[in-house]
Amino acid sequence: MLAEIITIGDEILIGQIVDTNSAWMAKQLNLIGVSVKQITSVSDDEAHILSSLAQAEERADLILITGGLGPTKDDITKKTLAKYFGMGFRSDAGALEMVTSIFKKYNRPLIDINIQQADVPDGCEVIVNKNGTAPCMWFEQNDKIFVSMPGVPFEMMYLMDDEILPRIKSRFTLPSIVHKTILTANIGESFLAKEIEEIEDILPDHIKLAYLPKLGQVRLRLSAKGTDDTTLNQEVEVYAKQIISKIQKFVVVDEDVPFEKAILNIMKDRGVTLSTAESCTGGYIAHLITQHPGCSSVYWGGAVAYAYALKESILGVQESTLNQFGAVSEETVKEMAEGAIKHFKTDYAIAVSGIAGPDGGTDDKPVGTVWIAISNKNKTVAKVFTFSNKRIQNIERSAASALTMLLNLLKEDGLKE
Amino acid sequence: MLAEIITIGDEILIGQIVDTNSAWMAKQLNLIGVSVKQITSVSDDEAHILSSLAQAEERADLILITGGLGPTKDDITKKTLAKYFGMGFRSDAGALEMVTSIFKKYNRPLIDINIQQADVPDGCEVIVNKNGTAPCMWFEQNDKIFVSMPGVPFEMMYLMDDEILPRIKSRFTLPSIVHKTILTANIGESFLAKEIEEIEDILPDHIKLAYLPKLGQVRLRLSAKGTDDTTLNQEVEVYAKQIISKIQKFVVVDEDVPFEKAILNIMKDRGVTLSTAESCTGGYIAHLITQHPGCSSVYWGGAVAYAYALKESILGVQESTLNQFGAVSEETVKEMAEGAIKHFKTDYAIAVSGIAGPDGGTDDKPVGTVWIAISNKNKTVAKVFTFSNKRIQNIERSAASALTMLLNLLKEDGLKE
């Protein structure tokens, strides 16, 4: 079964927002065995929406549409869908009740344009949106299904989880799609490819191998398509095992988890704790870690020590070190990591201090210079990196490098045990 | 001039990565007056790539393609482009030199599949990619331009900034597109729409108004299209002024900056400083702030106090407060904010403590319960929120609410001056 996703909204095409909905929907659809054929973003323009709907209807069985359902005049998705299906409008009692109750809950008066949110094309089935005022609409035509959902991510997510995915699962016999991911670090894409060339060459046609490089890590993804999950899983496991045994020392974990989550899992298994002392990454490493449920058994917290004063007061960096070597130096970053171990009483600590840019560089420490230190209770490892002149990139790469250094120290400590 | 963006890669269609490239490219194109008609994501599948190219060629003058240029077997963009344009292959000297020098720099042996990175369709112009091994390729056919770039974001960004955008600007006479954004807070989309209804009704056809709601803020965007920037800017300013005077008290700033950046600017203008004390947001607020260059003149840093011990040791929260009221309580969050003011010596502080979930809730403090406190040197304001059961959402909403509370205290303090 093939699906397409159409996201509607000028804000996507002028680049004001990043379309995160599509990736989330695609992931959920793949998990139940629906392949996504295409993702299309179009503007709030009637003619263009109509032609996208027609093209998607030709290619796919299921068309999921998000966006353009707000109460304001720039949103035309509902009107355009009515035109596409040749339908008139009716007010939907369930949708009106939901709109009314939401406004009551927030103690706000109900005005005309909110009431109009409950008007829907008269041939669609309404699926009540419990988290917002725009109803979800389900259309069928020529054996194709069209679902229109609001573009607000959490409203769309609830509708997908609670309503749309269960309906699709119960109505269709879906093929099995099995993915298996192997997360690697400390090796580049082309070297990995060379290492596992012979295994890749003998993969059967229904199993594909993809390389997904990102910030010093490469994910290898085996994808198999067939009729039976169990068989596919067994097949994929055979190839995964061959690959893993070939590149053992680069493998972080053989599941599709974010890098920091893989590290958290290793630390949780060992019963060790972590703290952070961040300057130029400004809380980004802490944020990466604390995105994950259950992180609190490993991660105790840390400091975002932007100002000199906080490096001294929270982390106990010596004033003389800062004055003599500067904030971006091996000496300072080591004191930051060791200070975190001491003051936050954790088994491991990450410290980062650098010049994220775009300003603040000097001749001997240009923008992109980043010192990273990792400590356990006995040892501190420090390393300097020279990244780019782009701030966000430098923050992300610093975080990835710090996590790789932490992984390497954990591996080293693991060998000793 | 119309452009389309085609992003190629199975990883997008199975939802493994979010396509952030398209939004960035769309933004840059709009800034130089190129409208993006459609963004299309397709898989690493020859037939599908070919049909997407053909459809885009029908609709647009400029087709920007990213992805599928890696050295490994799953990447087929280059081969497919050669087929589309009916071209053979040649090895490009400049591209080969770049590949060689990159491998030399990292002290790695050059293997066959890396050398093949320099093979290109023989009718394209090669634009050397200084940041990676995949060359950028420029094709022309039937007065349409096709540019193929690597999908690695920073490689694509450099190529766009340094090569592609300058070429497009010098070659075409582009229409003017002017956007003006008004950032509002503390009011919902439909109420805003009602407030400015009369202004919206008299907008001329070439000026559009869009409402972009996000986490308690709404951005109003006026977009004008014409032939002359100066005239458009003047026109847009007239309507923007009318709107602003109508909704004065909800306006944060009349430019398109992230919410936290608008707050940083207000604080910088007043010469006041900020620190953070985060529990459930885990460094996310610090990260939002420190994304922005120049933040260090306002933001001094803060604590990510996940464990009880760190709330006490870094922030000076009383053990008795934690024991009596718990970490997620008005008392604790106030002590966190006041502790930040005291220990980090800043003028303002944000503190957040909540249950981000999915686990850890109780009957009287369900998942999604979040206490937020904002302090200046004389006053602490605290408020409790009940968000959802989704962790990432709770983190994002907590941050947005904390920033709104900070803005409101800054406004209150501003009135007193």
Side-chain angles (χ1 to χ4, degrees):
Chain A
M1 186 183 185
L2 291 180
E4 291 209 17
I5 297 169
I6 300 176
T7 62
I8 299 173
D10 288 347
E11 63 276 22
I12 299 171
L13 293 163
I14 69 160
Q16 192 149 15
I17 65 159
V18 172
D19 169 26
T20 53
N21 282 349
S22 296
W24 189 89
M25 286 192 279
K27 194 167 194 171
Q28 309 311 313
L29 289 168
N30 267 275
L31 284 173
I32 64 166
V34 177
S35 297
V36 177
K37 179 86 183 148
Q38 180 167 318
I39 298 167
T40 312
S41 299
V42 298
S43 64
D44 298 303
D45 171 88
E46 189 186 271
H48 197 183
I49 297 173
L50 290 173
S51 71
S52 307
L53 290 168
Q55 287 180 6
E57 184 173 346
E58 267 175 41
R59 286 182 299 244
D61 312 297
L62 170 68
I63 295 107
L64 297 178
I65 304 149
T66 65
L69 296 182
T72 50
K73 292 178 190 173
D74 54 318
D75 290 314
I76 60 163
T77 300
K78 205 157 64 176
K79 228 167 50 184
T80 309
L81 284 165
K83 187 161 185 178
Y84 185 75
F85 295 109
M87 294 173 183
F89 275 94
R90 65 176 177 88
S91 178
D92 185 79
L96 185 59
E97 200 185 310
M98 190 47 62
V99 172
T100 312
S101 76
I102 286 175
F103 277 75
K104 208 166 173 179
K105 182 178 167 195
Y106 292 107
N107 237 329
R108 288 182 180 172
L110 196 64
I111 54 181
D112 273 359
I113 59 170
N114 304 125
I115 294 170
Q116 285 157 21
Q117 289 278 81
D119 292 346
V120 296
D122 55 18
C124 78
E125 183 190 348
V126 170
I127 297 170
V128 172
N129 170 7
K130 293 176 193 145
N131 299 285
T133 55
C136 168
M137 297 168 287
W138 179 290
F139 301 85
E140 301 199 13
Q141 171 170 295
N142 307 328
D143 276 332
K144 306 288 174 100
I145 294 169
F146 298 73
V147 185
S148 163
M149 289 175 281
V152 181
F154 83 94
E155 296 182 25
M156 176 279 292
M157 287 176 187
Y158 278 105
L159 282 163
M160 285 287 287
D161 278 341
D162 296 352
E163 301 283 347
I164 311 304
L165 294 169
R167 281 171 192 233
I168 295 166
K169 272 193 284 192
S170 72
R171 179 139 154 200
F172 299 94
T173 311
L174 297 166
S176 294
I177 297 182
V178 165
H179 300 293
K180 167 91 185 178
T181 299
I182 301 164
L183 173 61
T184 70
N186 297 309
I187 181 171
E189 184 183 4
S190 54
F191 294 92
L192 261 182
K194 203 170 158 59
E195 289 286 331
I196 58 176
E197 199 172 22
E198 285 164 23
I199 305 167
E200 193 170 357
D201 283 341
I202 56 160
L203 287 178
D205 277 351
H206 68 290
I207 301 185
K208 287 178 90 178
L209 176 65
Y211 295 77
L212 310 169
K214 188 187 160 195
L215 293 170
Q217 305 133 34
V218 179
R219 282 179 161 68
L220 295 171
R221 192 192 57 233
L222 287 161
S223 303
K225 196 170 184 170
T227 51
D228 174 54
D229 265 15
T230 316
T231 318
L232 290 177
N233 269 318
Q234 284 166 351
E235 278 188 287
V236 161
E237 277 304 326
V238 169
Y239 294 107
K241 280 213 177 90
Q242 291 182 28
I243 290 172
I244 290 169
S245 79
K246 199 84 202 346
I247 53 166
Q248 191 70 56
K249 66 177 170 176
F250 305 112
V251 172
V252 181
V253 69
D254 66 336
E255 52 178 332
D256 188 19
V257 294
F259 191 44
E260 68 279 359
K261 176 68 179 163
I263 293 175
L264 279 174
N265 289 346
I266 293 169
M267 298 186 81
K268 194 170 186 172
D269 285 347
R270 292 200 199 158
V272 291
T273 56
L274 175 69
S275 60
T276 49
E278 301 183 66
S279 183
C280 72
T281 46
Y284 183 61
I285 297 175
H287 167 58
L288 285 179
I289 292 169
T290 56
Q291 283 180 84
H292 301 288
C295 64
S296 60
S297 64
V298 169
Y299 183 65
W300 282 23
V304 179
Y306 234 59
Y308 268 43
L310 269 74
K311 290 188 179 76
E312 296 171 26
S313 66
I314 314 185
L315 295 165
V317 175
Q318 300 289 317
E319 197 185 342
S320 58
T321 309
L322 286 165
N323 289 338
Q324 192 179 343
F325 303 102
V328 180
S329 65
E330 180 169 6
E331 291 77 7
T332 296
V333 83
K334 280 183 163 173
E335 285 189 27
M336 286 169 67
E338 286 160 10
I341 292 273
K342 185 175 158 197
H343 297 288
F344 308 150
K345 301 185 169 57
T346 54
D347 301 306
Y348 289 84
I350 294 173
V352 184
S353 185
I355 302 153
D359 306 313
T362 59
D363 279 351
D364 56 327
K365 290 176 188 172
V367 168
T369 305
V370 178
W371 272 98
I372 300 176
I374 309 292
S375 287
N376 62 20
K377 283 178 174 163
N378 310 309
K379 183 177 174 178
T380 299
V381 191
K383 213 167 149 182
V384 67
F385 296 83
T386 311
F387 298 123
S388 73
N389 60 354
K390 306 223 163 172
R391 185 175 184 88
I392 304 289
Q393 238 179 65
N394 287 338
I395 293 172
E396 288 175 358
R397 288 173 153 208
S398 299
S401 301
L403 290 166
T404 305
M405 285 174 65
L406 173 62
L407 173 76
N408 291 340
L409 185 59
L410 284 165
K411 280 193 166 181
E412 195 186 306
D413 290 350
L415 291 176
K416 283 182 206 147
E417 275 168 13
Chain B
M1 188 184 184
L2 292 179
E4 291 210 13
I5 297 169
I6 300 176
T7 61
I8 299 174
D10 288 348
E11 64 276 23
I12 298 171
L13 294 163
I14 70 160
Q16 191 150 15
I17 65 158
V18 172
D19 168 26
T20 53
N21 282 350
S22 296
W24 188 89
M25 286 191 280
K27 195 168 192 171
Q28 309 311 312
L29 290 168
N30 268 275
L31 283 174
I32 63 165
V34 177
S35 297
V36 177
K37 178 86 184 150
Q38 181 167 319
I39 298 167
T40 311
S41 299
V42 298
S43 64
D44 297 304
D45 172 87
E46 188 185 271
H48 198 183
I49 296 173
L50 290 173
S51 71
S52 307
L53 290 168
Q55 287 179 6
E57 186 175 345
E58 268 176 40
R59 285 181 300 243
D61 312 297
L62 170 68
I63 295 105
L64 297 178
I65 304 149
T66 65
L69 296 182
T72 50
K73 292 178 191 173
D74 54 320
D75 290 313
I76 60 162
T77 300
K78 204 157 66 176
K79 229 168 49 187
T80 309
L81 284 166
K83 187 160 185 180
Y84 186 74
F85 296 108
M87 295 174 185
F89 274 94
R90 66 177 177 87
S91 177
D92 185 80
L96 185 59
E97 199 186 310
M98 190 49 61
V99 171
T100 312
S101 76
I102 287 175
F103 277 76
K104 207 167 176 181
K105 182 179 166 192
Y106 292 107
N107 239 329
R108 288 183 181 171
L110 196 64
I111 55 180
D112 273 358
I113 57 169
N114 304 127
I115 294 169
Q116 283 157 21
Q117 288 279 80
D119 292 345
V120 296
D122 55 19
C124 78
E125 183 191 347
V126 170
I127 298 171
V128 171
N129 171 7
K130 293 176 193 148
N131 299 286
T133 55
C136 168
M137 297 167 287
W138 179 288
F139 302 84
E140 300 199 14
Q141 171 168 294
N142 308 325
D143 277 332
K144 305 288 174 101
I145 294 169
F146 297 73
V147 186
S148 164
M149 289 174 281
V152 181
F154 83 95
E155 296 182 25
M156 176 280 292
M157 287 176 187
Y158 278 107
L159 283 164
M160 285 288 286
D161 278 341
D162 296 352
E163 301 284 347
I164 311 306
L165 294 170
R167 281 170 192 234
I168 294 166
K169 272 194 282 191
S170 72
R171 181 141 154 199
F172 299 95
T173 312
L174 298 165
S176 295
I177 297 181
V178 165
H179 300 294
K180 167 89 187 180
T181 300
I182 301 164
L183 172 61
T184 70
N186 297 307
I187 181 170
E189 187 184 2
S190 54
F191 294 92
L192 261 182
K194 203 169 158 58
E195 289 285 330
I196 59 174
E197 200 173 22
E198 285 163 23
I199 306 166
E200 194 171 357
D201 284 341
I202 56 159
L203 287 177
D205 277 352
H206 68 289
I207 301 184
K208 287 178 90 177
L209 177 66
Y211 295 78
L212 310 170
K214 187 187 161 196
L215 294 169
Q217 304 134 35
V218 179
R219 281 179 162 67
L220 294 171
R221 191 191 59 233
L222 286 160
S223 304
K225 196 169 183 172
T227 51
D228 174 55
D229 266 15
T230 317
T231 318
L232 290 177
N233 269 317
Q234 284 167 352
E235 277 188 287
V236 162
E237 277 303 326
V238 169
Y239 293 107
K241 280 214 176 91
Q242 291 181 25
I243 290 172
I244 290 169
S245 80
K246 199 84 201 346
I247 53 165
Q248 190 71 56
K249 66 177 172 180
F250 305 112
V251 173
V252 180
V253 69
D254 66 336
E255 53 177 334
D256 188 18
V257 294
F259 192 44
E260 69 279 358
K261 176 67 177 162
I263 292 174
L264 279 174
N265 289 346
I266 294 169
M267 298 186 80
K268 193 170 187 174
D269 285 345
R270 291 199 198 159
V272 292
T273 57
L274 176 69
S275 61
T276 49
E278 301 183 65
S279 183
C280 71
T281 45
Y284 184 61
I285 298 175
H287 167 58
L288 284 180
I289 292 169
T290 57
Q291 282 180 85
H292 302 288
C295 65
S296 59
S297 63
V298 169
Y299 182 66
W300 282 22
V304 179
Y306 234 59
Y308 267 43
L310 269 74
K311 289 188 180 75
E312 295 170 27
S313 66
I314 313 185
L315 295 165
V317 175
Q318 300 289 320
E319 195 185 343
S320 59
T321 308
L322 286 165
N323 289 338
Q324 190 178 345
F325 302 101
V328 181
S329 65
E330 181 171 5
E331 291 76 7
T332 296
V333 83
K334 280 183 164 175
E335 285 189 26
M336 286 169 69
E338 286 159 10
I341 292 272
K342 186 175 157 195
H343 296 289
F344 307 151
K345 298 186 172 55
T346 54
D347 301 306
Y348 289 84
I350 293 173
V352 185
S353 185
I355 302 152
D359 305 313
T362 59
D363 279 350
D364 56 329
K365 289 176 188 172
V367 168
T369 305
V370 178
W371 272 99
I372 300 176
I374 309 292
S375 286
N376 61 22
K377 284 180 171 161
N378 310 307
K379 183 176 174 178
T380 299
V381 190
K383 212 167 149 181
V384 66
F385 296 83
T386 312
F387 298 124
S388 73
N389 60 355
K390 307 223 162 172
R391 184 175 184 88
I392 303 289
Q393 237 178 66
N394 288 338
I395 291 172
E396 288 176 358
R397 289 174 154 206
S398 299
S401 301
L403 290 166
T404 305
M405 284 175 65
L406 173 61
L407 174 76
N408 291 341
L409 185 58
L410 283 166
K411 280 193 168 182
E412 196 185 304
D413 290 350
L415 291 176
K416 283 184 207 147
E417 276 169 14

